[in-house]
Amino acid sequence: MKKRKIPLRKSVVSGEMFPKKDLLRIAKSKEGVVSIDPTGKAPGRGAYIAIEPTEAQQAWDKKILDRVLETKITDAFYEELLAYVSHQKARRELFANE
């Protein structure tokens, strides 16, 4: 049986390469609306961060997503991102045994 290729993407915070399923995509639409893209398929410019609360906090502290997506991102969005990443990490740890 042929082995499937695993797509890799680079985290904009750490610069490390990860399998795409281990990252979270942040998308910026043509209208300039920035949103969390859990499916990874929303149209527009995308940036990936690892599903680690420390990376989300670092992105907020250094305004990395502002620079990468070339737009001003509100603190409310960063709070939502941090909460989402924390929740997803907890879910992965909870369901890792199954």
Side-chain angles (χ1 to χ4, degrees):
M1 191 163 178
K2 192 173 181 182
K3 190 172 182 178
R4 291 187 62 138
K5 182 179 165 198
I6 300 171
L8 298 175
R9 298 290 183 267
K10 185 185 281 191
S11 168
V12 294
V13 178
S14 66
E16 285 183 66
M17 297 292 279
F18 292 97
K20 187 177 176 182
K21 67 178 178 139
D22 293 341
L23 296 171
L24 176 66
R25 184 172 185 256
I26 313 300
K28 176 186 168 194
S29 68
K30 287 184 179 181
E31 294 79 35
V33 178
V34 178
S35 61
I36 296 172
D37 179 16
T39 63
K41 297 179 181 179
R45 179 92 171 115
Y48 292 88
I49 66 166
I51 300 180
E52 286 292 328
T54 53
E55 278 212 12
Q57 186 64 50
Q58 195 175 359
W60 188 1
D61 294 340
K62 295 182 178 182
K63 302 286 188 193
I64 293 171
L65 293 174
D66 291 45
R67 217 171 33 249
V68 172
L69 297 174
E70 299 173 348
T71 188
K72 176 75 176 118
I73 299 175
T74 64
D75 285 342
F77 176 80
Y78 279 113
E79 288 172 11
E80 180 186 345
L81 176 64
L82 188 58
Y84 184 85
V85 168
S86 300
H87 178 74
Q88 289 300 318
K89 181 170 170 78
R91 281 186 56 133
R92 285 184 179 207
E93 290 172 358
L94 185 63
F95 295 116
N97 298 335
E98 293 179 9

XYZ file of all heavy atoms in Angstrom:
784
model
N 0.830 -1.177 0.000
C 0.000 0.000 0.000
C 0.881 1.249 0.000
O 1.895 1.313 0.697
C -0.901 -0.030 1.235
C -1.980 0.975 1.221
S -3.235 0.519 2.446
C -4.297 1.873 2.218
N 0.480 2.224 -0.766
C 1.253 3.451 -0.900
C 1.097 4.324 0.347
O -0.001 4.496 0.858
C 0.770 4.223 -2.128
C 1.665 5.349 -2.528
C 1.209 5.962 -3.837
C 2.144 7.081 -4.235
N 1.716 7.718 -5.463
N 2.211 4.868 0.829
C 2.177 5.731 2.005
C 1.751 7.134 1.595
O 2.269 7.704 0.636
C 3.555 5.773 2.662
C 3.564 6.447 3.994
C 4.895 6.301 4.689
C 4.820 6.953 6.043
N 6.055 6.795 6.777
N 0.779 7.692 2.344
C 0.264 9.023 2.015
C 1.217 10.104 2.466
O 1.807 10.021 3.533
C -1.090 9.232 2.689
C -2.170 8.365 2.093
C -3.488 8.720 2.674
N -3.802 10.110 2.351
C -4.985 10.539 1.970
N -5.978 9.704 1.886
N -5.195 11.798 1.684
N 1.304 11.144 1.658
C 2.129 12.291 1.994
C 1.390 13.155 3.012
O 0.201 13.430 2.860
C 2.399 13.103 0.726
C 3.280 14.291 0.929
C 3.498 15.016 -0.373
C 4.069 16.385 -0.079
N 3.921 17.270 -1.204
N 2.090 13.577 4.061
C 1.491 14.431 5.086
C 1.884 15.875 4.786
O 3.072 16.202 4.781
C 1.977 14.025 6.491
C 1.581 12.585 6.779
C 1.424 14.976 7.552
C 2.187 12.012 8.036
N 0.888 16.757 4.517
C 1.228 18.147 4.221
C 1.792 18.861 5.447
O 1.275 18.707 6.548
C -0.095 18.774 3.774
C -1.156 17.863 4.268
C -0.540 16.514 4.453
N 2.863 19.616 5.240
C 3.498 20.367 6.317
C 3.286 21.852 6.111
O 3.217 22.335 4.980
C 5.003 20.078 6.363
C 5.424 18.644 6.650
C 6.933 18.511 6.541
C 4.955 18.204 8.012
N 3.174 22.585 7.220
C 3.062 24.042 7.187
C 3.961 24.612 8.273
O 4.257 23.950 9.261
C 1.615 24.499 7.437
C 0.605 24.023 6.412
C 0.810 24.711 5.074
N -0.190 24.314 4.101
C -0.049 23.326 3.233
N 1.029 22.595 3.226
N -0.999 23.059 2.365
N 4.359 25.876 8.093
C 5.244 26.528 9.047
C 4.446 27.437 9.972
O 3.631 28.238 9.525
C 6.292 27.358 8.311
C 7.342 27.979 9.238
C 8.290 28.888 8.501
C 9.321 28.067 7.777
N 10.425 28.886 7.262
N 4.704 27.322 11.274
C 4.086 28.209 12.254
C 4.731 29.588 12.125
O 5.957 29.697 12.090
C 4.303 27.664 13.666
O 3.957 28.635 14.621
N 3.914 30.640 12.060
C 4.460 31.997 11.911
C 5.086 32.487 13.209
O 5.859 33.441 13.194
C 3.388 33.006 11.425
C 2.925 32.678 10.031
C 2.234 33.113 12.390
N 4.778 31.843 14.320
C 5.326 32.266 15.609
C 6.694 31.640 15.849
O 7.675 32.343 16.077
C 4.361 31.921 16.768
C 4.959 32.307 18.107
C 3.028 32.611 16.562
N 6.764 30.305 15.790
C 8.018 29.617 16.112
C 8.903 29.376 14.891
O 10.109 29.172 15.034
C 7.726 28.277 16.780
O 7.079 27.405 15.878
N 8.307 29.355 13.699
C 9.074 29.075 12.490
C 9.308 27.589 12.269
O 10.011 27.203 11.345
N 8.715 26.741 13.092
C 8.867 25.294 12.955
C 7.859 24.737 11.961
O 6.765 25.268 11.824
C 8.628 24.593 14.295
C 9.748 24.718 15.278
C 9.441 23.922 16.534
O 9.374 22.678 16.439
O 9.258 24.551 17.585
N 8.225 23.645 11.313
C 7.326 22.950 10.404
C 6.554 21.887 11.194
O 7.137 21.152 11.987
C 8.109 22.277 9.283
C 8.855 23.237 8.383
S 7.773 24.268 7.389
C 7.368 23.144 6.082
N 5.233 21.848 10.979
C 4.359 20.890 11.641
C 3.436 20.273 10.603
O 3.175 20.884 9.572
C 3.459 21.592 12.672
C 4.165 22.136 13.869
C 4.527 23.478 13.928
C 4.462 21.328 14.954
C 5.162 23.992 15.037
C 5.089 21.840 16.073
C 5.445 23.171 16.114
N 2.878 19.073 10.893
C 1.805 18.566 10.031
C 0.633 19.547 10.077
O 0.346 20.141 11.122
C 1.424 17.233 10.682
C 2.625 16.842 11.482
C 3.257 18.122 11.926
N -0.020 19.730 8.954
C -1.087 20.723 8.834
C -2.195 20.531 9.874
O -2.735 21.498 10.396
C -1.675 20.667 7.424
C -2.666 21.766 7.120
C -3.134 21.688 5.685
C -4.205 22.714 5.399
N -4.702 22.626 4.039
N -2.503 19.269 10.222
C -3.580 19.014 11.183
C -3.217 19.440 12.601
O -4.099 19.579 13.445
C -3.981 17.545 11.156
C -2.911 16.613 11.653
C -3.371 15.183 11.647
C -2.208 14.324 12.128
N -2.563 13.300 13.002
N -1.939 19.667 12.888
C -1.506 20.102 14.220
C -1.442 21.619 14.344
O -0.990 22.133 15.363
C -0.128 19.517 14.549
C -0.188 18.002 14.699
O -1.298 17.463 14.901
O 0.880 17.365 14.628
N -1.854 22.325 13.299
C -1.814 23.784 13.308
C -3.213 24.363 13.172
O -4.140 23.693 12.740
C -0.944 24.292 12.146
C 0.525 23.919 12.200
C 1.208 24.286 10.893
C 1.222 24.603 13.349
N -3.333 25.628 13.528
C -4.585 26.369 13.394
C -4.354 27.472 12.374
O -3.368 28.202 12.453
C -4.992 26.972 14.742
C -6.224 27.853 14.736
C -7.470 27.026 14.404
C -6.398 28.515 16.088
N -5.280 27.589 11.416
C -5.158 28.613 10.374
C -5.952 29.851 10.762
O -7.098 29.765 11.187
C -5.676 28.074 9.039
C -5.503 29.046 7.882
C -5.847 28.360 6.565
N -5.570 29.226 5.437
C -6.514 29.875 4.756
N -7.779 29.740 5.074
N -6.186 30.652 3.752
N -5.321 31.005 10.611
C -5.969 32.294 10.787
C -6.079 32.884 9.381
O -5.065 33.018 8.687
C -5.123 33.246 11.672
C -4.629 32.542 12.943
C -5.890 34.514 11.981
C -5.692 32.024 13.838
N -7.302 33.204 8.954
C -7.533 33.655 7.578
C -7.935 35.124 7.538
O -8.658 35.605 8.403
C -8.625 32.818 6.930
N -7.444 35.815 6.502
C -7.836 37.200 6.248
C -8.525 37.231 4.888
O -7.928 36.889 3.870
C -6.610 38.109 6.238
C -6.934 39.540 5.885
C -5.661 40.361 5.749
C -5.962 41.700 5.117
N -4.757 42.376 4.685
N -9.804 37.646 4.875
C -10.565 37.678 3.630
C -10.168 38.890 2.789
O -9.438 39.768 3.252
C -12.062 37.729 3.940
O -12.385 38.968 4.529
N -10.680 38.941 1.568
C -10.403 40.085 0.686
C -10.923 41.380 1.266
O -10.392 42.454 0.993
C -11.033 39.858 -0.688
C -10.318 38.837 -1.513
C -10.930 38.721 -2.891
C -10.173 37.706 -3.727
N -10.732 37.588 -5.075
N -11.988 41.283 2.087
C -12.569 42.476 2.721
C -11.753 42.936 3.920
O -12.046 43.973 4.507
C -14.013 42.203 3.168
C -14.989 41.956 2.043
C -14.906 40.553 1.472
O -14.642 39.584 2.227
O -15.084 40.411 0.242
N -10.753 42.146 4.328
C -9.906 42.515 5.458
C -10.374 41.963 6.790
O -9.859 42.336 7.835
N -11.355 41.051 6.765
C -11.872 40.456 7.995
C -10.981 39.272 8.386
O -10.774 38.356 7.600
C -13.331 39.973 7.808
C -13.847 39.305 9.067
C -14.215 41.137 7.395
N -10.462 39.319 9.614
C -9.598 38.250 10.116
C -10.437 37.317 10.978
O -11.208 37.766 11.823
C -8.431 38.843 10.937
C -7.560 37.735 11.506
C -7.605 39.777 10.076
N -10.284 35.993 10.746
C -11.078 35.024 11.501
C -10.278 33.745 11.722
O -9.325 33.456 10.999
C -12.370 34.696 10.766
O -12.074 34.129 9.505
N -10.705 32.984 12.731
C -10.128 31.668 12.987
C -10.745 30.708 11.974
O -11.947 30.711 11.763
C -10.437 31.219 14.425
C -9.765 32.166 15.428
C -9.981 29.788 14.655
C -10.166 31.927 16.859
N -9.906 29.900 11.341
C -10.366 28.974 10.299
C -10.066 27.533 10.718
O -9.029 26.990 10.355
C -9.667 29.324 8.987
C -10.048 28.404 7.843
O -11.064 27.697 7.961
O -9.319 28.393 6.839
N -10.965 26.903 11.485
C -10.684 25.537 11.950
C -10.627 24.504 10.830
O -9.937 23.504 10.954
C -11.821 25.232 12.919
C -12.850 26.261 12.691
C -12.223 27.409 11.969
N -11.324 24.751 9.703
C -11.304 23.783 8.602
C -10.046 23.913 7.756
O -9.655 22.977 7.075
C -12.521 23.970 7.681
O -12.448 25.263 7.076
C -13.822 23.824 8.433
N -9.435 25.092 7.758
C -8.254 25.321 6.938
C -8.576 25.548 5.475
O -7.692 25.501 4.621
N -9.855 25.827 5.152
C -10.258 25.950 3.751
C -10.935 27.273 3.410
O -11.430 27.436 2.306
C -11.200 24.795 3.396
C -10.519 23.448 3.504
C -11.449 22.321 3.181
C -10.700 21.007 3.338
N -11.537 19.865 3.076
N -10.995 28.206 4.342
C -11.641 29.491 4.076
C -10.836 30.262 3.028
O -9.603 30.169 2.998
C -11.755 30.311 5.355
N -11.510 31.012 2.161
C -10.771 31.775 1.156
C -10.006 32.935 1.799
O -10.393 33.454 2.834
C -11.876 32.300 0.235
C -13.096 32.308 1.076
C -12.949 31.178 2.050
N -8.915 33.305 1.167
C -8.134 34.434 1.638
C -6.743 34.041 2.086
O -6.331 32.879 1.996
N -6.011 35.025 2.555
C -4.633 34.844 3.019
C -4.653 34.127 4.353
O -5.437 34.454 5.229
C -3.992 36.229 3.184
C -2.586 36.214 3.670
C -1.635 36.198 2.490
N -0.285 36.407 2.968
C 0.659 35.492 2.878
N 0.397 34.336 2.313
N 1.869 35.730 3.318
N -3.782 33.154 4.529
C -3.763 32.391 5.770
C -2.416 32.416 6.451
O -1.381 32.556 5.814
N -2.454 32.299 7.775
C -1.251 32.162 8.587
C -1.526 31.054 9.596
O -2.644 30.921 10.089
C -0.952 33.471 9.304
N -0.518 30.253 9.881
C -0.696 29.111 10.770
C 0.043 29.332 12.079
O 1.151 29.874 12.094
C -0.148 27.834 10.121
C -0.945 27.381 8.924
C -0.654 27.849 7.645
C -1.989 26.485 9.068
C -1.386 27.433 6.551
C -2.723 26.056 7.969
C -2.418 26.532 6.723
O -3.143 26.119 5.639
N -0.595 28.885 13.194
C 0.085 28.844 14.484
C -0.176 27.472 15.098
O -1.203 26.845 14.830
C -0.363 29.960 15.459
C -1.809 29.799 15.896
C -0.127 31.336 14.874
C -2.167 30.657 17.089
N 0.765 27.026 15.918
C 0.596 25.736 16.588
C -0.508 25.844 17.629
O -0.761 26.920 18.170
C 1.909 25.315 17.248
N -1.144 24.728 17.903
C -2.219 24.719 18.903
C -1.572 24.602 20.284
O -1.610 23.555 20.926
C -3.226 23.586 18.616
C -3.838 23.804 17.240
C -4.318 23.547 19.677
C -4.840 22.783 16.819
N -0.927 25.687 20.680
C -0.277 25.814 21.979
C -0.620 27.191 22.536
O -0.405 28.199 21.855
C 1.254 25.714 21.832
C 1.786 24.341 21.561
C 1.619 23.402 22.757
O 1.667 23.864 23.908
O 1.422 22.207 22.516
N -1.146 27.261 23.755
C -1.466 28.575 24.338
C -0.259 29.511 24.415
O -0.403 30.722 24.261
C -1.988 28.222 25.730
C -2.489 26.826 25.608
C -1.594 26.167 24.595
N 0.931 28.962 24.603
C 2.127 29.805 24.667
C 2.378 30.494 23.325
O 2.792 31.655 23.301
C 3.363 28.986 25.072
O 3.489 27.860 24.206
C 3.259 28.513 26.506
N 2.119 29.794 22.219
C 2.306 30.404 20.896
C 1.267 31.484 20.640
O 1.582 32.525 20.078
C 2.254 29.348 19.780
C 3.552 28.628 19.605
C 3.823 28.209 18.174
O 3.128 28.665 17.249
O 4.755 27.430 17.982
N 0.028 31.239 21.046
C -1.020 32.246 20.864
C -0.695 33.497 21.684
O -0.866 34.624 21.212
C -2.371 31.675 21.268
N -0.203 33.293 22.915
C 0.150 34.425 23.765
C 1.322 35.195 23.182
O 1.340 36.427 23.176
C 0.489 33.932 25.182
C 0.728 35.042 26.166
C -0.504 35.894 26.411
O -1.572 35.374 26.678
N -0.377 37.198 26.299
N 2.302 34.481 22.652
C 3.469 35.117 22.032
C 3.051 35.904 20.786
O 3.553 37.001 20.547
C 4.499 34.046 21.676
C 5.865 34.576 21.371
C 6.859 33.449 21.155
O 6.531 32.265 21.255
N 8.082 33.813 20.844
N 2.127 35.355 20.000
C 1.623 36.059 18.815
C 0.939 37.354 19.228
O 1.073 38.380 18.555
C 0.652 35.165 18.045
N 0.217 37.322 20.352
C -0.467 38.510 20.858
C 0.537 39.532 21.371
O 0.480 40.709 21.014
C -1.417 38.095 21.972
C -2.345 39.176 22.478
C -2.424 40.461 22.042
C -3.322 39.051 23.500
N -3.394 41.132 22.737
C -3.968 40.282 23.645
C -3.713 37.997 24.319
C -4.977 40.502 24.577
C -4.722 38.222 25.235
C -5.342 39.460 25.359
N 1.505 39.087 22.183
C 2.491 39.996 22.781
C 3.323 40.711 21.719
O 3.578 41.910 21.811
C 3.422 39.236 23.727
C 2.687 38.692 24.949
O 1.585 39.205 25.257
O 3.218 37.761 25.595
N 3.721 39.964 20.697
C 4.593 40.534 19.656
C 3.823 41.031 18.442
O 4.438 41.505 17.481
C 5.617 39.489 19.223
C 6.571 39.106 20.329
C 7.596 38.107 19.837
C 8.580 37.749 20.922
N 9.603 36.814 20.455
N 2.480 40.884 18.443
C 1.621 41.303 17.323
C 2.096 40.679 16.007
O 2.130 41.321 14.964
C 1.579 42.826 17.201
C 1.096 43.539 18.446
C -0.384 43.367 18.601
C -0.902 44.246 19.738
N -2.243 43.922 20.129
N 2.445 39.400 16.072
C 2.968 38.694 14.901
C 1.924 38.586 13.791
O 2.233 38.801 12.614
C 3.496 37.303 15.307
C 4.733 37.470 16.190
C 3.815 36.453 14.085
C 5.235 36.193 16.826
N 0.678 38.285 14.154
C -0.363 38.143 13.131
C -0.667 39.480 12.449
O -0.996 39.505 11.269
C -1.635 37.550 13.734
C -1.507 36.104 14.218
C -2.778 35.659 14.922
C -1.193 35.178 13.065
N -0.537 40.589 13.185
C -0.710 41.913 12.574
C 0.282 42.084 11.427
O -0.065 42.551 10.340
C -0.460 43.025 13.602
C -1.534 43.092 14.671
O -1.909 42.031 15.198
O -1.988 44.204 14.974
N 1.518 41.695 11.685
C 2.588 41.861 10.704
C 2.408 40.899 9.523
O 2.509 41.304 8.362
C 3.927 41.597 11.406
C 5.025 42.462 10.949
C 6.322 42.379 11.755
N 6.667 41.102 12.348
C 6.660 40.843 13.667
N 6.307 41.757 14.528
N 7.013 39.661 14.115
N 2.135 39.640 9.816
C 2.031 38.623 8.764
C 0.832 38.873 7.850
O 0.940 38.767 6.632
C 1.956 37.210 9.392
C 1.646 36.169 8.338
C 3.256 36.878 10.097
N -0.314 39.222 8.446
C -1.528 39.435 7.656
C -1.690 40.884 7.199
O -2.664 41.223 6.532
C -2.760 38.997 8.458
C -2.805 37.506 8.805
C -3.984 37.203 9.709
C -2.854 36.650 7.556
N -0.743 41.734 7.565
C -0.704 43.148 7.141
C -2.007 43.881 7.454
O -2.596 44.531 6.590
C -0.371 43.243 5.652
C 0.987 42.660 5.314
C 1.256 42.598 3.822
O 0.319 42.801 3.026
O 2.418 42.349 3.459
N -2.464 43.772 8.697
C -3.672 44.451 9.138
C -3.603 44.675 10.639
O -2.766 44.088 11.326
C -4.938 43.644 8.772
O -6.075 44.433 9.050
C -5.026 42.339 9.506
N -4.483 45.513 11.161
C -4.564 45.757 12.605
C -5.563 44.778 13.191
O -6.720 44.733 12.769
C -5.012 47.213 12.861
C -5.220 47.550 14.309
C -3.898 47.716 15.026
C -4.135 48.156 16.464
N -3.660 47.206 17.436
N -5.117 43.978 14.158
C -5.974 42.979 14.785
C -6.256 43.426 16.219
O -5.348 43.822 16.945
C -5.318 41.581 14.755
C -5.078 41.161 13.300
C -6.175 40.569 15.483
C -4.340 39.872 13.132
N -7.523 43.342 16.614
C -7.934 43.818 17.931
C -7.517 42.851 19.040
O -7.300 41.656 18.793
C -9.463 43.984 17.999
O -10.064 42.697 17.832
C -9.965 44.941 16.927
N -7.444 43.383 20.259
C -7.141 42.539 21.414
C -8.257 41.525 21.656
O -7.997 40.422 22.138
C -6.934 43.404 22.665
C -5.586 44.129 22.649
O -4.696 43.707 21.877
O -5.432 45.104 23.412
N -9.488 41.879 21.313
C -10.619 40.956 21.481
C -10.409 39.702 20.628
O -10.704 38.581 21.074
C -11.919 41.641 21.095
N -9.880 39.872 19.418
C -9.619 38.707 18.557
C -8.531 37.834 19.177
O -8.638 36.606 19.188
C -9.199 39.135 17.143
C -8.843 37.957 16.269
C -9.830 37.208 15.670
C -7.520 37.577 16.087
C -9.515 36.101 14.888
C -7.200 36.482 15.317
C -8.199 35.742 14.711
N -7.464 38.476 19.697
C -6.390 37.705 20.328
C -6.900 36.959 21.562
O -6.483 35.827 21.818
C -5.218 38.611 20.700
C -4.300 38.926 19.537
C -4.209 40.212 19.027
C -3.506 37.939 18.950
C -3.353 40.506 17.971
C -2.665 38.225 17.894
C -2.586 39.501 17.407
O -1.752 39.785 16.359
N -7.814 37.566 22.325
C -8.408 36.884 23.483
C -9.203 35.666 23.022
O -9.113 34.589 23.617
C -9.318 37.840 24.255
C -8.583 38.902 25.034
C -9.507 39.945 25.639
O -10.746 39.732 25.642
O -8.995 40.978 26.099
N -9.993 35.846 21.949
C -10.769 34.736 21.392
C -9.833 33.629 20.891
O -10.081 32.437 21.112
C -11.631 35.257 20.238
C -12.476 34.208 19.567
C -13.198 34.721 18.334
O -13.274 35.957 18.137
O -13.686 33.881 17.562
N -8.749 34.011 20.240
C -7.776 33.051 19.728
C -7.137 32.261 20.868
O -7.026 31.038 20.796
C -6.690 33.785 18.922
C -5.532 32.947 18.393
C -6.041 31.928 17.377
C -4.475 33.838 17.769
N -6.736 32.954 21.923
C -6.119 32.297 23.069
C -7.085 31.311 23.724
O -6.706 30.179 24.049
C -5.646 33.349 24.077
C -4.813 32.854 25.252
C -3.568 32.133 24.768
C -4.429 34.011 26.145
N -8.351 31.718 23.875
C -9.357 30.832 24.461
C -9.592 29.615 23.563
O -9.690 28.479 24.050
C -10.659 31.591 24.665
N -9.663 29.825 22.258
C -9.891 28.732 21.309
C -8.735 27.731 21.343
O -8.951 26.518 21.394
C -10.065 29.290 19.894
C -10.397 28.244 18.868
C -11.715 27.846 18.654
C -9.402 27.639 18.118
C -12.024 26.876 17.715
C -9.701 26.665 17.181
C -11.010 26.286 16.981
O -11.311 25.320 16.058
N -7.509 28.242 21.324
C -6.329 27.371 21.331
C -6.258 26.582 22.634
O -5.982 25.380 22.623
C -5.044 28.206 21.101
C -3.807 27.384 21.388
C -5.013 28.731 19.677
N -6.542 27.231 23.758
C -6.532 26.537 25.056
C -7.570 25.419 25.070
O -7.302 24.309 25.540
C -6.810 27.523 26.185
O -5.831 28.527 26.217
N -8.753 25.705 24.546
C -9.826 24.718 24.494
C -9.442 23.531 23.597
O -9.653 22.367 23.963
C -11.113 25.381 23.986
C -12.258 24.440 23.846
N -12.943 23.945 24.919
C -12.821 23.881 22.749
C -13.894 23.119 24.492
N -13.848 23.067 23.176
N -8.884 23.814 22.430
C -8.503 22.747 21.495
C -7.391 21.876 22.072
O -7.398 20.652 21.893
C -8.064 23.339 20.147
C -9.196 23.916 19.351
C -10.270 22.888 19.027
O -10.006 21.755 18.675
N -11.512 23.298 19.178
N -6.434 22.490 22.762
C -5.347 21.721 23.378
C -5.910 20.801 24.459
O -5.539 19.624 24.531
C -4.295 22.644 23.961
C -3.134 21.873 24.591
C -2.012 22.777 24.940
C -0.969 22.070 25.765
N -0.107 21.227 25.034
N -6.829 21.311 25.279
C -7.449 20.493 26.327
C -8.223 19.331 25.710
O -8.155 18.197 26.216
C -8.364 21.354 27.184
N -8.946 19.589 24.617
C -9.690 18.519 23.933
C -8.753 17.437 23.415
O -9.031 16.249 23.544
C -10.477 19.082 22.749
C -11.758 19.759 23.122
C -12.485 20.132 21.866
N -12.672 18.924 21.059
C -13.800 18.566 20.481
N -14.848 19.329 20.578
N -13.899 17.475 19.774
N -7.645 17.858 22.822
C -6.695 16.870 22.281
C -6.116 16.001 23.383
O -5.924 14.806 23.199
C -5.574 17.570 21.522
C -6.033 18.064 20.185
C -4.909 18.661 19.400
N -5.452 19.084 18.124
C -4.746 19.166 17.016
N -3.475 18.897 17.038
N -5.299 19.533 15.892
N -5.791 16.618 24.524
C -5.251 15.843 25.637
C -6.299 14.898 26.213
O -5.991 13.778 26.572
C -4.727 16.784 26.724
C -3.469 17.510 26.297
C -3.041 18.593 27.272
O -3.744 18.809 28.283
O -2.008 19.216 27.015
N -7.543 15.349 26.256
C -8.629 14.534 26.808
C -8.918 13.334 25.926
O -9.104 12.221 26.415
C -9.886 15.396 26.953
C -11.078 14.757 27.625
C -10.749 14.403 29.069
C -12.262 15.711 27.569
N -8.943 13.548 24.607
C -9.290 12.466 23.685
C -8.085 11.764 23.078
O -8.237 10.953 22.157
C -10.188 13.009 22.566
C -11.521 13.487 23.076
C -11.866 14.826 22.982
C -12.408 12.611 23.654
C -13.099 15.277 23.448
C -13.634 13.034 24.123
C -13.981 14.378 24.023
N -6.894 12.031 23.564
C -5.682 11.423 23.006
C -5.636 9.911 23.254
O -5.053 9.176 22.475
C -4.449 12.086 23.594
N -6.251 9.466 24.323
C -6.191 8.043 24.670
C -7.119 7.196 23.808
O -6.972 5.980 23.768
C -6.555 7.862 26.148
C -5.564 8.569 27.045
O -4.427 8.782 26.654
N -5.994 8.924 28.235
N -8.088 7.795 23.171
C -9.071 7.015 22.395
C -8.605 6.718 21.005
O -7.820 7.292 20.400
C -10.393 7.778 22.335
C -11.027 7.877 23.694
C -12.333 8.646 23.661
O -12.833 8.949 22.562
O -12.838 8.940 24.733
